[in-house]
Amino acid sequence: MTNNFKSGFVAILGRPNVGKSTFLNQVMGQKIAIMSDKPQTTRNKIMGIYTTPEEQIVFIDTPGIHKPHNALGDFMVQAAYSTLRECDVVLFMVAADEPRSTGEDMIIDRLKRAEVPVILVINKIDKVHPDRLFEKVADYTEQMEFAEVVPISALQGSNTDTLLNILTDKLVQGPKYFPDDQITDHPERFIVSEMVREKILLLTREEVPHSIAVVTESMKRDEFDKMHIAVTIYVERKSQKGIILGKGGSMIKKIGQLARRDIELMLGDKVYLETWVKVKEDWRDKKIDLSDFGYVK
Ligand code: GDP
Ligand code: K
Ligand code: MG
C-alpha cells in the first residue's frame, strides 16, 4: 500500500449545454449522467468517482448555471454553486464554438471569489478552426486569472487525458473516499429514472422535456430472472400526457424500448420495463413535489 495516494473533489461548472455531462461520461467510460442537446438536462449534482491505484478524483457534474424562472431552476443553480464549497479544484467549462455571453460573465464574477484553483476548459474544439482558439483563450484570460487553460473535445475524447494529468498534478495526498468499485453517489434507481428522462428529452420538444419528472417505483427480479422495473413519468398538463403516450401508445413504446437498452447495459441484466404516466400540475413550482422527485438540498 502506497502512502502517497492522492485524492480530491473536482466541480464541473458552466452554462447549460457546454458539455459538462459528456465530459464526465467520457472520463468514466460509461454513462453516469444523461446528456442531450437541451438545456437543463442535468438537474442534480452527480458524482463520477474515478479511481486508479495512485489516485481518486471525484468529479461533480452540475446543472448548467442560468437565470432561474421557477423553483426547480432555483434548486438547480443553487446545487451548482454549492459545489464551490465542496471541491478542491473547479473546471469552468465553456464551448469553443460560442461567444462569451452574459451567462458566462455571471459565472466568472462568482469564480473570481473562489478559494480553489479554477481551470478554464474550452470544450467542443472539434467544432472550430484552431486559429479561433487563440482568440477564445485571450478573451477569457482577460476576464480573470485561471490556474490552467485546457482545450478539449469531450465528445471525441481529445486532450481529456491532458486534463486528467493536470488535475493529478493539482491534487494533494488524501484518503480514498469511496471503495474502488463505486462509480457514483446515486443509487441505480436514480440512474434508471434519468435514462428514461433522457429518452423523453431526445424524443420530445419545447416545454415537454422540461415538464417531466421520472420516479422509479420498484426494481425486483421476476420469475423469469429479469429485472422488473416500474417507473412513473410525471407531466404538468393533460395535453403533455397525450404527447408522452403518442398515437396508439407509439411514443411511450419508443421511450421504453430505448431506455430499456441503456438500463440493460448499465445493469448487465435483462430488463422488463413498465411505464406509467401521471399528471401533476405545475410540479416545478411546488416545493412539496420537488422534494418528492428528489430535487431537495
Ligand atoms: P451539459 O448541459 O453541459 O451537461 O451538456 P451535455 O453534456 O448534455 O451536452 C450538450 C450537447 O453538446 C450534446 O448534444 C452533446 O452531444 C454536445 N457536446 C458535448 N461535448 C461536445 C464536444 O466536445 N463536441 C461536440 N461537437 N459536441 C459536444
Ligand atoms: K444538455
Ligand atoms: Mg449536464
Side-chain angles (χ1 to χ4, degrees):
M1 188 64 199
T2 157
N3 61 357
N4 43 24
F5 191 82
K6 285 176 156 191
S7 63
F9 290 78
V10 176
I12 314 167
L13 294 181
R15 256 199 310 135
N17 268 359
V18 295
K20 299 177 293 298
S21 300
T22 304
F23 170 73
L24 180 82
N25 294 334
Q26 175 66 244
V27 170
M28 298 301 300
Q30 60 182 293
K31 194 191 284 179
I32 290 177
I34 61 167
M35 304 165 282
S36 91
D37 60 355
K38 314 260 189 323
Q40 281 115 60
T41 298
T42 308
R43 290 175 176 171
N44 309 75
K45 288 188 268 187
I46 299 171
M47 280 185 191
I49 306 160
Y50 175 88
T51 310
T52 72
E54 294 84 33
E55 66 189 337
Q56 184 166 73
I57 310 178
V58 184
F59 290 96
I60 313 170
D61 185 19
T62 65
I65 296 171
H66 63 286
K67 254 203 171 86
H69 34 72
N70 54 36
L72 175 63
D74 277 339
F75 164 80
M76 292 193 287
V77 173
Q78 277 180 34
Y81 278 131
S82 72
T83 56
L84 282 173
R85 297 189 298 270
E86 302 162 354
C87 70
D88 304 295
V89 179
V90 173
L91 299 183
F92 171 42
M93 189 173 285
V94 301
D97 62 330
E98 277 168 41
R100 175 168 55 85
S101 69
T102 52
E104 260 99 22
D105 290 345
M106 193 173 74
I107 301 171
I108 289 170
D109 268 346
R110 179 65 191 86
L111 291 181
K112 280 178 181 165
R113 289 179 283 128
E115 283 158 19
V116 293
V118 179
I119 297 176
L120 176 69
V121 179
I122 303 179
N123 187 33
K124 307 197 188 185
I125 54 167
D126 56 288
K127 284 179 113 176
V128 299
H129 191 276
D131 292 349
R132 297 279 314 282
L133 218 49
F134 289 104
E135 299 160 27
K136 185 111 291 185
V137 173
D139 179 38
Y140 276 99
T141 49
E142 272 168 28
Q143 312 305 316
M144 72 172 271
E145 207 175 309
F146 294 102
E148 305 275 350
V149 179
V150 190
I152 66 165
S153 168
L155 194 66
Q156 301 183 340
S158 358
N159 222 30
T160 48
D161 50 344
T162 309
L163 180 50
L164 273 178
N165 289 335
I166 288 171
L167 283 174
T168 300
D169 280 346
K170 295 256 179 284
L171 294 184
V172 295
Q173 204 178 315
K176 193 182 275 185
Y177 293 100
F178 299 94
D180 288 310
D181 58 353
Q182 187 174 347
I183 53 164
T184 185
D185 58 331
H186 285 282
E188 275 171 353
R189 296 172 162 253
F190 170 85
I191 307 179
V192 165
S193 305
E194 288 286 274
M195 282 173 171
V196 174
R197 199 163 63 79
E198 184 184 62
K199 303 314 168 198
I200 300 172
L201 288 169
L202 178 74
L203 297 169
T204 64
R205 288 174 302 130
E206 289 159 19
E207 256 318 273
V208 183
H210 302 294
S211 300
I212 53 147
V214 181
V215 174
T216 301
E217 310 286 356
S218 66
M219 277 177 83
K220 49 177 181 279
R221 197 166 292 282
D222 64 17
E223 67 263 43
F224 311 108
D225 209 30
K226 272 191 178 185
M227 282 305 279
H228 188 118
I229 302 176
V231 301
T232 305
I233 299 163
Y234 288 94
V235 295
E236 290 191 306
R237 305 256 173 279
K238 219 172 153 205
S239 59
Q240 294 167 342
K241 180 171 173 173
I243 293 170
I244 297 292
L245 292 174
K247 217 176 177 177
S250 56
M251 178 61 101
I252 190 72
K253 192 170 168 199
K254 202 161 176 192
I255 293 166
Q257 280 171 345
L258 292 176
R260 183 167 53 84
R261 215 174 295 158
D262 268 16
I263 298 166
E264 287 185 335
L265 259 177
M266 173 183 70
L267 299 176
D269 243 326
K270 283 280 172 215
V271 166
Y272 178 84
L273 184 63
E274 183 184 327
T275 48
W276 298 90
V277 186
K278 289 185 186 159
V279 180
K280 201 151 215 168
E281 276 181 29
D282 300 318
W283 67 264
R284 282 183 293 172
D285 257 323
K286 293 182 184 150
K287 287 263 152 63
I288 180 97
D289 293 338
L290 286 179
S291 75
D292 279 353
F293 297 156
Y295 304 119
V296 275
K297 272 173 274 175

